[in-house]
Amino acid sequence: MVKDNIIPNHMDIYWHDYTGHVKDKPITEASVPVKAALIGRVGLMLLSCGTGAWRVRSAMNQLSESLGVTCTASIGLMTIVYTCFDGHKTFTNSLALNNTGVNTLKLDKLERFVKKFPKEGVHKSGEQLQSELDEIQKLKGLYTPPKLGLAAAFACAAFTFLLGGGPVEMICAFIGAGAGNFLRAALIKRHYTLYMCTILSVALGCLAYVAALRLGEMIFHIPGEHEAGYICAMLFIIPGFPFITSGIDLAKLDMRSGLERLAYAVIIVVNATITAWVMAMILNLKPADFPDLALSPALHLLLRLVASFVGVFGFSIMFNSPFRLACSAALIGAVANTLRLELVDLAGCPATVAAFLGALTAGLLASALMKRLGFPRISVTVPSIVIMVPGLYLYRAVYNIGEMSLTLSAPWLVSALLIIMMLPLGLICARIITDRSFRHCT
C-alpha cells in the first residue's frame, strides 16, 4: 500500500485473513494458525506500546493457555518470533513493527483485553476478536502536537527547578521545550525517522531557549548568568521508557530485548547530546552551575513536591496517558522523587543510593495503588521515575568529551551510568517484593 508516493518498507498484515473459514466459530475450536495469529497480534501491539518482553510474553502465554496451545517466543524491541503448537500441529511466525514508541492508553486497553479473555474472549470468533483489536489499533493519540508541546514545556520547567534553576531558567526552558516537543510530535505524526525527529527537535529547543533568554535580556535587562538552563530545554527527549524496560528485561534474562532497548535509548541520547553540543558551539554556550536559590528547607521541600508532580504529570501526558492515569503517576512521582532529592541534600546520601531508594519507593507505591486503580503497573512506575534519569549528567559528559576534556567528562558519565543502573534496579526489587510471579525464574 503506497502512501504519499512513499513505498512502506514494512508491508501491512491483513489480520482478518487469519480468522478461519467459519466466521461464527468460537476461537477455541479454530485451527492453530488462527489462534497463533491472534496471539501474535496481541503481542505485537503490546510491543508497539513500549512495554518490555516479560509483559509481552506473559500476555501471549495467558492467551495461549486459554486457547489450549503452547507458545514459545523470542522478543526484541521491534520483532517477535514465536511458535504455537497443540501436540498435533505447529505454527511458527515472525512479526515486526515499523516503528516503536510509548502509548499507555493502548497498553491499558490491551491489558484489559487480555485480562477479560479467559472469561469473555474464548466464546468469540476469530473475526470478532480481530475486530476488537482493530478498534484498539485505531485509537488515536489523546493529545495534539500543541498539547504535547505544552506538556513538555511544563515538565521541563519543573525539571529545571529540580535541577536547581530559578524562574528565568524555568521560563526559558518552558519556551524551548514546548517548541522542541511540538516539532517532535508533529514530525512523528508524519512518520519521519527517529534521527530526524531527535536532532531537529533538540536543536529547536536549544535555539528557542536562547532566543527567549536574549529577548529577556533586551527587554527586562536580565543578567547573562542564566545560560546554563539551555540544557533543560532538551530534556523532553530523555528515553526513560526504553532505559527502564531494558533493565527490567535484563533482570529477567530477556537478553535480546534488554540489549536492543538499551541500544535504542543510547541512540537517542547520543543524537540528542551531540546536537545540543553542536548548538552550544554555534551559540557560544557553556554548561555551568545554576545560581543558588537561597530557599528555606521547608519551602524547598514543598516546591520540590509541586515540581515533581508537574514534571511527572507532563511526562505521562507525553506518553499518551489519560488524565486519571497521569495524575496517579504524578502523585507517586512527587513522593518518590522528593524523597530522593531530600535524601541527597539532608541525609548526605550518595546520589546512586538515593536513586535506588526513590525508584523502590515508586515501585512499592505503584503496587499498592494499582490494585485499586486497575492500571498497568509499568504505565505508572516508569513515568514516575523518568524525572530521575540524569539527562543533565549525560549532556555534560558528552559536552566535555566533545571538548576533549576527558578528565572532566568521566565523573559525569560514571555518575549518570550508575544512576541509570539504579533506577530499574529499584523497580525490580519492588516487583520482587510485591509480585510472586516476577520473583521466580519460571
Side-chain angles (χ1 to χ4, degrees), residues 50-52 77 100-102 159 234-251 257-273 319 378 381-383 385-395 398 413 415-428:
T51 193
L77 172 68
T100 186
V102 180
F159 217 145
M234 56 164 277
L235 295 180
F236 63 87
I237 207 72
I238 289 175
F241 240 90
F243 260 140
I244 304 305
T245 53
S246 71
I248 295 173
D249 281 344
L250 290 173
S257 177
L259 293 175
E260 287 182 13
R261 289 173 185 279
L262 182 59
Y264 174 76
V266 169
I267 287 172
I268 295 175
V269 168
V270 169
N271 274 281
T273 51
F319 295 150
I378 194 170
T381 54
V382 175
I385 68 170
V386 164
I387 203 166
M388 303 181 192
V389 176
L392 176 65
Y393 289 20
L394 290 169
Y395 170 72
V398 172
L413 182 60
S415 297
L417 292 177
L418 287 174
I419 292 173
I420 289 171
M421 289 169 57
M422 286 297 180
L423 293 177
L425 187 59
L427 289 184
I428 290 164

Side-chain angles (χ1 to χ4, degrees), residues 93-357:
N93 207 354
S94 177
L95 301 173
L97 297 169
N98 59 9
N99 203 353
T100 186
V102 180
N103 191 323
T104 54
L105 173 63
K106 281 188 180 180
L107 177 59
D108 182 42
K109 298 291 185 183
L110 287 166
E111 292 262 351
R112 295 178 190 277
F113 176 90
V114 173
K115 188 176 181 180
K116 293 178 181 178
F117 188 83
K119 292 183 179 179
E120 300 178 10
V122 292
H123 303 297
K124 298 177 181 179
S125 67
E127 180 71 24
Q128 290 174 316
L129 292 167
Q130 292 291 357
S131 295
E132 287 186 22
L133 293 176
D134 286 343
E135 294 303 314
I136 298 176
Q137 188 77 52
K138 291 176 184 176
L139 286 174
K140 296 182 179 180
L142 294 172
Y143 311 103
T144 60
K147 290 180 180 179
L148 292 173
L150 191 62
F154 278 107
C156 289
F159 217 145
T160 303
F161 173 78
L162 295 171
L163 290 171
V168 174
E169 290 89 352
M170 292 173 66
I171 293 171
C172 293
F174 182 95
I175 296 171
N181 200 50
F182 165 76
L183 176 62
R184 177 170 170 255
L187 293 174
I188 289 174
K189 193 173 182 179
R190 290 168 174 76
H191 307 290
Y192 284 103
T193 184
L194 173 68
Y195 279 62
M196 184 176 177
C197 294
T198 302
I199 292 170
L200 291 181
S201 61
V202 170
L204 179 60
C206 294
L207 188 61
Y209 180 97
V210 174
L213 181 60
R214 297 292 180 251
L215 191 62
E217 290 174 355
M218 290 173 56
I219 299 175
F220 302 106
H221 306 291
I222 296 171
E225 61 182 4
H226 302 287
E227 291 181 349
Y230 80 93
I231 302 170
C232 303
M234 56 164 277
L235 295 180
F236 63 87
I237 207 72
I238 289 175
F241 240 90
F243 260 140
I244 304 305
T245 53
S246 71
I248 295 173
D249 281 344
L250 290 173
K252 296 297 292 183
L253 298 182
D254 274 311
M255 305 302 291
R256 179 186 166 205
S257 177
L259 293 175
E260 287 182 13
R261 289 173 185 279
L262 182 59
Y264 174 76
V266 169
I267 287 172
I268 295 175
V269 168
V270 169
N271 274 281
T273 51
I274 288 178
T275 301
W277 170 63
V278 171
M279 292 302 296
M281 297 298 100
I282 295 173
L283 300 171
N284 193 28
L285 302 172
K286 294 183 180 180
D289 294 330
F290 292 106
D292 189 12
L293 296 177
L295 299 173
S296 67
L299 179 59
H300 208 176
L301 172 63
L302 179 61
L303 292 177
R304 277 176 168 173
L305 281 168
V306 174
S308 296
F309 180 92
V310 172
V312 174
F313 183 85
F315 277 114
S316 295
I317 295 298
M318 290 164 60
F319 295 150
N320 200 42
S321 298
F323 183 81
R324 186 162 168 259
L325 175 56
C327 286
S328 301
L331 286 171
I332 293 171
V335 174
N337 190 54
T338 302
L339 172 65
R340 175 183 71 94
L341 295 171
E342 293 297 315
L343 284 172
V344 173
D345 287 353
L346 299 182
C349 185
T352 50
V353 177
F356 170 82
L357 294 174

Side-chain angles (χ1 to χ4, degrees), residues 369-383:
L369 293 178
M370 289 312 98
K371 292 179 180 179
R372 298 181 180 179
L373 298 176
F375 295 124
R377 187 195 314 245
I378 194 170
S379 64
V380 178
T381 54
V382 175

